[in-house]
Amino acid sequence: MTRFRTTLALLVAATLSATSLALAQAKQPADLIVTGGPIYTVDVTRPIAGAFAIRGGRFVFVGTARDAMMFKGPSTRVLDLRGAAAYPGFIDAHAHLLGLGLALQSVDLTGVPTYEEIVSRVAARAKTTPAGQWITGNGWDQNRWPVKEFPTHEALDRAVPNNPVILDRVDGHAVLANAEAMRKAGITSKTADPTGGRIVRDAQGNPTGVFVDNAMSLVYRAEPKLTPAQLTAALHAAAVESNRWGLTEVQDMGEDRETILAFEALARDGKLPLRTYEMVTDDSASLAFFYARGPRKAQYNGRVWVRGIKLYADGALGSRGAALLAPYSDDSANTGLLVSTPEHLKARAIEAFRHGFQVSTHAIGDRGNRNALDAYEAALDAVHSVDARPRIEHAQIISPEDIPRFAKLGVIPSMQSSHQTSDMPWAERRLGPERIRGAYAWRTLLNTGVVIPNGTDFPVERVNPIITFHSAVTRQDAENSPPGGWYPDQRMTREEALRSMTLWPAFAAFQENELGSITAGKYADFTVLDRDIMKIAPEKILSAQVVATYVGGTPVYQATNTAATTAADGSGEVNDASSEAAPVASGAHALPIERENEWTRGLVARDPKVFDRLLAPGFVYTEDSGVMTRDDVIASATGDDTTTWAGNEDMKVHDFGDTQLVTGVLHVKGKNKSGPFDRRYAFTDTWQNRGGTWQLIGAQDYVIPK
Ligand SMILES: [Zn+2]
């Protein structure tokens, strides 16, 4: 509805920009100025910049190198990129930090081509491990072996008889245990399969050592608990490892109370070099604790967010645990596993929305995805939580009729492009030629108007976000195979791929006003690569290396052979203020607009030009692509057939310098299935001057009862 009042606010903005210009001349010096290479901002108001300036951990200016030097004071450091390229800090929208921390301490079995080699790696670790102590490993994948079948435990027992061993499958949905681990866990042929899980058995009914989905906990629970010191060390190691690969934030899927509190303790002590967006795991005790505490945003200088929960609809495709609507094409008796019942998903979603928490649900199979969509639809109707931004994690195989439901319900498909390149050798065998069309279907989903936050699911896949980018734009593996890409019509453009690693994850975590682009006012998170991945040949993308990673304007990782260097005496002369874009005079902060409860679902439709600047189209906005017009969007979101503007009333502008609130009443008329309507909405729009451009950064609307 904002389009109806844009003109007025822009007029107000125009009169104020003169003031901003004057303020610019009285600016304070920056802490750091970055220049000397291409800067991809992921901000449509200025997609490529020559420089940016940082003060107090936030970007204060983005623009030309000449103008940036206006922010240079006696103690301002200047980082000369020397041709390296800067991007907004990379965000992994779906990963497991504790899993990574533990994986760093366990035997790495990723990519190992035979079971014999797996056994010999574990045996090598056993030589330096005291008898009785647990050995963990992760990353095995029988699909890489000559015989593509689950292993059995005997070879492992012969090589490692005296240590309990548990080895996670690459997807985290199956585990292989040796006899000693099964003995400690009390597992025998009499142990029953738990709901949503499977103990793989031989012809005599004896466990073979492989435990799938919910059955994994039968073995895990025998493993001794981490001490608090071990937990903290694992989390810190995972954060440092993430920085090394250029990540400034990780959205951490499904951690328990202890782990999340350990992250908060690290952040409070100033020892967490990474932002984390924590999704609370589906256990009643952890949920009760965080619900009682309420949603927490940007704690400890924007390091830890806790305002979401993680549910599981089904298992994974590799272990045939993904729940399908029809049987597996290569296993006609099997339709996969439901890890949670549809009722459970719905009840949990309602509970979360009521507490102001976001919900993300793991769903891989088409039945898993349908259950999650159904649960969200019912929960949104029950709670009227409008800007809820529910997410489906993986959204890997979707029935054609469910694809438009994401945009319609405002459900965010959070996907991992490297899953596609890892799964492509065998996914079609599991699914057949028809269902494969709805699998890893990025383009089909993007065309409906959704955004796709991208991630790796590490330690399932490697941490490196360059692999994510490469898979997204090529749909090819590390050897650039197959030629032309696997179902290449589903590729992302490079601009989309970069957004999927920066601004789209920020949107998927309600952080788009705080991070995700190089924009004045946002946290100064950025990543420097030695190569320009937006321009180099596709087959060269994987050779790009991280030069430096900055979180809040501070380096958290620097490569030893870095081309880019900082110097307190960096060159660059002070210039006049005659540029067309006036720099922001002071570190502008987004107002903490709490939108969750008051938005009405229909009021996400905005003016396309404003929407472009908002950068975060969570809902359908596709006038250009011809999918829907804005009026269609309003009509479909509100359930109205037509909506017509009938005027604004009581418009007021509240001026706070670089931030303005515009309040008033919006009057609309139209028609819906219950007949003609005539409604008034009270609205509050927040405008902010960012780098000389006024942007709409927040909007609240609610219907005034008659
Ligand atoms: Zn995951």
mmCIF file of all heavy atoms in Angstrom, residues 212 268 304 332 449 477 634:
data_model
loop_
_atom_site.group_PDB
_atom_site.id
_atom_site.type_symbol
_atom_site.label_atom_id
_atom_site.label_comp_id
_atom_site.label_asym_id
_atom_site.label_seq_id
_atom_site.Cartn_x
_atom_site.Cartn_y
_atom_site.Cartn_z
ATOM 1 N N VAL A 212 19.097 -45.491 10.855
ATOM 2 C CA VAL A 212 18.620 -44.424 9.983
ATOM 3 C C VAL A 212 17.665 -43.503 10.749
ATOM 4 O O VAL A 212 16.803 -43.971 11.504
ATOM 5 C CB VAL A 212 17.913 -45.015 8.737
ATOM 6 C CG1 VAL A 212 17.375 -43.903 7.830
ATOM 7 C CG2 VAL A 212 18.861 -45.908 7.953
ATOM 8 N N ARG A 268 29.348 -12.815 24.726
ATOM 9 C CA ARG A 268 29.394 -11.866 25.840
ATOM 10 C C ARG A 268 30.844 -11.576 26.227
ATOM 11 O O ARG A 268 31.208 -10.457 26.557
ATOM 12 C CB ARG A 268 28.628 -12.456 27.028
ATOM 13 C CG ARG A 268 28.387 -11.501 28.180
ATOM 14 C CD ARG A 268 27.739 -12.215 29.351
ATOM 15 N NE ARG A 268 28.497 -13.400 29.712
ATOM 16 C CZ ARG A 268 27.968 -14.599 29.933
ATOM 17 N NH1 ARG A 268 26.670 -14.794 29.835
ATOM 18 N NH2 ARG A 268 28.732 -15.631 30.240
ATOM 19 N N VAL A 304 24.591 -12.699 18.339
ATOM 20 C CA VAL A 304 23.738 -13.885 18.487
ATOM 21 C C VAL A 304 22.255 -13.501 18.451
ATOM 22 O O VAL A 304 21.811 -12.662 19.228
ATOM 23 C CB VAL A 304 24.034 -14.643 19.810
ATOM 24 C CG1 VAL A 304 23.218 -15.936 19.864
ATOM 25 C CG2 VAL A 304 25.518 -14.946 19.956
ATOM 26 N N SER A 332 10.599 -49.892 -4.690
ATOM 27 C CA SER A 332 9.160 -49.704 -4.908
ATOM 28 C C SER A 332 8.318 -49.955 -3.661
ATOM 29 O O SER A 332 7.132 -49.646 -3.641
ATOM 30 C CB SER A 332 8.685 -50.612 -6.041
ATOM 31 O OG SER A 332 8.923 -51.952 -5.668
ATOM 32 N N GLY A 449 8.466 -15.799 -7.535
ATOM 33 C CA GLY A 449 8.637 -14.573 -6.772
ATOM 34 C C GLY A 449 9.242 -14.738 -5.394
ATOM 35 O O GLY A 449 9.317 -13.772 -4.640
ATOM 36 N N ASP A 477 29.799 -29.976 -11.051
ATOM 37 C CA ASP A 477 30.644 -30.336 -9.921
ATOM 38 C C ASP A 477 32.012 -29.668 -10.030
ATOM 39 O O ASP A 477 32.249 -28.840 -10.920
ATOM 40 C CB ASP A 477 30.741 -31.861 -9.809
ATOM 41 C CG ASP A 477 31.430 -32.494 -11.007
ATOM 42 O OD1 ASP A 477 32.113 -31.773 -11.771
ATOM 43 O OD2 ASP A 477 31.292 -33.728 -11.178
ATOM 44 N N ILE A 634 -1.700 -7.681 -4.300
ATOM 45 C CA ILE A 634 -2.572 -7.206 -3.223
ATOM 46 C C ILE A 634 -3.810 -8.087 -3.157
ATOM 47 O O ILE A 634 -4.197 -8.571 -2.088
ATOM 48 C CB ILE A 634 -2.991 -5.739 -3.460
ATOM 49 C CG1 ILE A 634 -1.761 -4.834 -3.422
ATOM 50 C CG2 ILE A 634 -4.004 -5.303 -2.413
ATOM 51 C CD1 ILE A 634 -2.037 -3.423 -3.869
#
